[in-house]
Amino acid sequence: MKKTIIAGVSCPLERTVEIIGDRWVALILRELLLKGPRRFQDFNKDLPSVSPNVLSGRLKKLLEQDIVHTEAYSSHPPRNAYHLTRKGQELGNILAGMRDWGLQHTTEE
């Protein structure tokens, strides 16, 4: 598995936060972990607060980091579904820990 290089950051926690510390990245990962492969329009529907430009940028970042990969589901027009890689699936424990902490220490208004 290819390691991601983050120049000038020696702390592994900081490097991880650099990749997954964004709100939208965490929610995209949640969707993929809970629901499996997703299409762009699935994310748009399930995360209505994110703009298409931001969603596109976050998905591109996850592709570049080898956390997700795409598989074509239509050739005319070309359309892809997003799938977690093994590297992406390994983030499940981190997100589950964040969920558990949120259950214990936060509440809805």
Side-chain angles (χ1 to χ4, degrees):
M1 185 179 325
K2 184 177 102 177
K3 285 193 174 188
T4 298
I5 298 170
I6 304 204
V9 181
S10 62
C11 174
L13 176 60
E14 187 177 354
R15 291 192 304 263
T16 302
V17 169
E18 183 70 28
I19 296 168
I20 67 163
D22 176 272
R23 170 187 182 190
W24 296 118
V25 168
L27 295 177
I28 290 166
L29 292 171
R30 177 198 67 190
E31 293 298 307
L32 289 165
L33 286 161
L34 293 178
K35 299 176 183 173
R38 312 296 289 152
R39 300 172 180 183
F40 190 88
Q41 63 264 30
D42 297 330
F43 291 118
N44 256 343
K45 184 181 81 157
D46 294 337
L47 302 171
S49 299
V50 64
S51 74
N53 287 343
V54 170
L55 177 58
S56 180
R58 297 316 187 272
L59 288 168
K60 182 179 177 185
K61 178 181 178 179
L62 291 170
L63 283 163
E64 290 168 354
Q65 300 296 332
D66 192 36
I67 292 171
V68 300
H69 69 95
T70 59
E71 291 182 15
Y73 68 86
S74 171
S75 57
H76 298 293
R79 303 261 191 230
N80 292 308
Y82 295 87
H83 299 253
L84 286 171
T85 62
R86 186 170 143 238
K87 186 175 173 180
Q89 291 169 351
E90 290 175 359
L91 291 167
N93 290 333
I94 293 170
L95 294 173
M98 292 171 66
R99 177 208 57 219
D100 294 347
W101 187 91
L103 285 169
Q104 185 174 355
H105 299 287
T106 66
T107 188
E108 284 185 71
E109 194 173 353

